[in-house]
Amino acid sequence: MDTKKENIWNVPNALSIYRILALPFIIYAIYVGDKPLFITLLSINLITDILDGLIARVFRLQTEFGARLDSLADIGTYIMAFAGMIMLEKSFVMEHRIEFSLLIGMWLLPQLVSLIRFRRFPSFHLWSYKVTGYVQGIFIFTFFIFGVSTIYFYIMLVISLLAYMEELLLVSILPKLRSNVKSSLFVWNKSKE
């Protein structure tokens, strides 16, 4: 797509910009230890993430710029979610430090491979990442509101790791980074054609 011809002034991009602008306020909530403010702001970011993608698809407002902007907002929200867990729930994170280290490491690996190979973060918008976003969002929200569900924590962990492995596979094998790939199956099927 030629970004010069794209209409980047649309609602989905405005929602992504909001998510980026909300990050300093989430940092503030983490810094002062305000759990209700943290979970409120993070939940709004997660909801606007769902909305921006839905609006972009329904009204055909998907752009290369929007995909990259959304991915940047996703990365910021993701980092804030983990930072909030680490800073506001230290005992739980320390008790599960191996799992959290694996989760963070496996998320970082495809980001780093993409930066090295393509000099930018991936913006695939994989279905597995969408599922992971919902599962992680529900985990964080319910954790801060109701407390931990160990079974759900491990379900979230497995789903997340599978999505990160799919992204790692794609950034490792694709000759050129593309946006809105949806699934490694699409890449596999296109390579067979």
Side-chain angles (χ1 to χ4, degrees):
M1 260 185 224
D2 184 7
T3 55
K4 292 176 185 170
K5 294 180 182 177
E6 293 182 330
N7 179 10
I8 62 171
W9 302 107
N10 58 45
V11 172
N13 291 351
L15 291 172
S16 293
I17 289 169
Y18 161 79
R19 288 168 41 224
I20 293 168
L21 294 175
L23 295 175
F25 297 98
I26 297 173
I27 291 169
Y28 170 79
I30 294 168
Y31 178 73
V32 299
D34 190 335
K35 290 181 186 180
L37 180 61
F38 167 75
I39 196 61
T40 300
L41 293 173
L42 190 68
S43 295
I44 292 169
N45 262 30
L46 294 172
I47 290 167
T48 55
D49 183 27
I50 294 167
L51 289 175
D52 74 7
L54 182 64
I55 292 167
R57 283 187 298 281
V58 169
F59 294 100
R60 299 178 193 253
L61 298 171
Q62 294 170 302
T63 63
E64 182 67 27
F65 174 80
R68 291 182 186 192
L69 187 66
D70 179 62
S71 292
L72 186 62
D74 288 347
I75 289 168
T77 301
Y78 195 81
I79 290 170
M80 290 302 101
F82 273 109
M85 286 295 296
I86 291 166
M87 298 303 293
L88 301 174
E89 295 295 337
K90 289 178 186 158
S91 61
F92 178 76
V93 172
M94 288 309 293
E95 182 182 337
H96 299 281
R97 64 185 163 274
I98 293 171
E99 293 92 333
F100 275 98
S101 297
L102 183 61
L103 198 61
I104 293 169
M106 283 300 294
W107 174 75
L108 279 173
L109 191 56
Q111 308 305 317
L112 294 173
V113 169
S114 182
L115 281 174
I116 292 166
R117 288 195 69 211
F118 307 109
R119 293 191 169 93
R120 72 176 179 99
F121 293 113
S123 54
F124 295 131
H125 295 98
L126 298 167
W127 288 335
S128 62
Y129 253 65
K130 291 181 191 315
V131 170
T132 298
Y134 294 134
V135 170
Q136 288 178 350
I138 291 167
F139 170 75
I140 291 170
F141 181 78
T142 58
F143 181 92
F144 279 96
I145 302 298
F146 305 111
V148 68
S149 165
T150 305
I151 292 170
Y152 191 75
F153 172 70
Y154 283 103
I155 290 170
M156 180 272 298
L157 183 68
V158 169
I159 290 170
S160 300
L161 293 175
L162 290 172
Y164 302 156
M165 286 190 281
E166 181 181 26
E167 186 172 57
L168 179 60
L169 173 70
L170 288 173
V171 296
S172 298
I173 65 169
L174 285 176
K176 181 181 177 190
L177 199 57
R178 300 184 311 219
S179 296
N180 301 316
V181 171
K182 305 299 179 203
S183 169
S184 56
L185 294 176
F186 286 132
V187 174
W188 180 262
N189 288 338
K190 281 195 172 198
S191 70
K192 286 180 154 185
E193 292 173 357

